Amino acid sequence: MKNHKCDRQIWKILSSLILGFGLQALFSIPALAEMTDPETTANSANSADPVNEWYQLPAPTNNLPDNFDRHPDRESVANSHNVDESSPINPTLEPPLPIASEIETHISEASETQPAEIPPLIEENKLANPPLTYPAENSIEQVTSVSQLSDVQPTDWAFQALQSLVERYGCIAGYPDGTYRGNRALTRYEFAAGVNACLDKIRESIAKSTESLAKRDDLIKLQKLQEEFAAEIATMRGRVDVLEARTSELEANQFSTTTKLSGFTVFGIQGRTPNRADRAPRDGKRDTKDPGTNVNTINLNQFYLTTQFSPRSNLLIGFYNQNGGTSPQLTEDVNLAYNLGETSGLTISDLNYRLLVSDKLAVFAGTAGVNMITAFRGPNRAESAASGPLSAFAQRNPILNTGLGLGGIGIDWQFANRASLQAVYSTNVSGFFVSSNGSKGHNTLGVELTLTPADPVDFTVYYVNDYSPDGNLISLAGDSQLTAINSNTNKSASLRTNAVGASLNWRISSRVSLGGWAGYTNSRIPGKSGTVATTNYMVFVNFPDLFKAGNLGGIYIGQPPKIVSSNLPTGNNVPDFLDTGLGRSGGQPGTTTHVEVFYRWQVNDNISVTPGLILIFQPGHTPDSDPIAVGVLRTSFSF
């Protein structure tokens, strides 16, 4: 009887201790294991393998507007440079999730090369007096998740209690065969072991949570410091109040809650070396002096007003102004990207509306700033007249400058995760279509397919159909004028052109990017026989973050558009006109080679300084013309 009374007292004490820890679940707890299983220990050690195989693309080299020629910062609509996985109007780049099989491979390799050591026995969790007749096959093991217990189902009445005790306190054990045996009778030893394990976990948690609490001495020291620096603290509080008041005032008087003002200024100093050219007739004599070799300055200013009507639409209005220029010049090979031509005041560069019709389809239309430059996604992330290459030729494939349209309409369709389609129709005269009085300006249709076959690779292919009223493709480099002035009409014949091209950019690493492009055009005079064909190419290497984060180095080598063949009627053939005028067919006698080296120093987030050198060999595709060296120092400020 005495022993029974003592037992009842112990039972009452233990019942009070385990209240709140799942008494119902503990009634069926097996005894804790006397030894830790080596295999389980090794697996749990390797389960925390720090594998993180995110392959994230390098950030764009700059966030300045991409092309000051006719459009604003392309990141706002189309120039993702890598196929977007969400929206064509605001493309983003998100790294793909790690592949499960790759992570498992890393974990298995770590297990083979670095086996975890078996931890020593924890004396506190050993049974003081294990039952002498307890079967060896019923030895039990600690579990870390209820899912390890095969005979415990979510529908069991004690499932939530077991889950809490396992995952929050780690004091539930199971048998080696993965069962819990919740219906089995509970021994006093098992009950004592379960309570002891839970209490140990609670003591451990309390110790960890209180070890970082401040001591009384520390609080006294902190109070003394607060009293000593009371004046300084009061001053800082006053400054914060002033800043809050100014912020409130700015918010109340801001330019607009829906319209954002942005822009940039470029100040360039440039000059060409003295040179002479073999001009018409090309007879091997350098008879024409370059009249524009003096050092000169160019100041280009561009401003944008972006009005957000909704999260899926905006109106873009842009203005630009330029003072100074590089004219006169004998060849378009020396054109600079920020040299648009002098203006007497502000000129509208952009007036268009953009709408995200669906998550994958955007449309845009307007009377200014709608062309292939603004509509297509260029793979070269360094493309920018303010912060990228210095010359017009090095910005992009000259085919994409064709027509240099003003108004038009276009779409950007992200039809797959790694593929998108852009299309644009534009014209450089008022109205979108050819007038009833005949063609008075360029009418251009362009289509581009943008692909990202692998994360570091961007690839685009494009087709262009253009009508030129005067035979000039407006490619801004090399052979732009493809029909000569006819002596009978004193005009250049019109042309219908079909062009194809491709561009590639391969990010070898975060510090090196290799790329290039190639293009081909074939043109004919409507209603007449004969065609004229041109080719162009460029290869480049960009060095993002060269010597310092934000900087950019670049080397560009290529051939600007060159007439490789022409059998247009007599009086229209440009190579024949420059050579003899006798009606001979053929192409240009020489090949221009363009070499450009530059280094952009990013002074801060808004200011960059770019010195560079451009070398042009056989300018105008004329073998006997002097080579030209162009030195440039460009300073850009964006806001």
Side-chain angles (χ1 to χ4, degrees), residues 72-73 76-77 89-90 255-263 303-310 313-319 350 352-354:
D73 185 55
S76 63
V77 178
I89 201 169
N90 288 310
F255 174 73
S256 172
T257 57
T258 59
T259 301
K260 176 184 177 182
L261 173 65
S262 60
F303 309 95
Y304 302 107
L305 296 173
T306 305
T307 301
Q308 196 81 27
F309 293 112
S310 72
S313 66
N314 64 64
L315 174 67
L316 179 67
I317 303 175
F319 304 89
D350 296 88
N352 50 76
Y353 177 76
R354 302 159 190 262

Side-chain angles (χ1 to χ4, degrees), residues 118-138:
I118 301 175
L121 295 178
I122 303 176
E123 295 295 328
E124 292 80 5
N125 288 341
K126 293 176 62 179
L127 291 176
N129 295 293
L132 299 178
T133 60
Y134 203 82
E137 63 273 13
N138 285 342

Side-chain angles (χ1 to χ4, degrees), residues 33 96 141 146 152 162 167 172 194 213 219 225 247 351 398 436 503 535 582 610:
E141 302 172 331
V146 178
V152 176
L162 285 170
E167 297 179 0
I172 290 294
L213 294 178
L219 295 175
L225 288 173
T247 301
L351 181 58
S436 58
S503 300
T535 61
L582 299 178
T610 309

Side-chain angles (χ1 to χ4, degrees), residues 95 115 292 301 322:
N301 307 286
Q322 179 177 323

Side-chain angles (χ1 to χ4, degrees), residues 203-214:
R203 283 197 297 267
E204 181 181 339
S205 299
I206 294 174
K208 289 182 179 179
S209 62
T210 57
E211 65 181 4
S212 60
L213 294 178

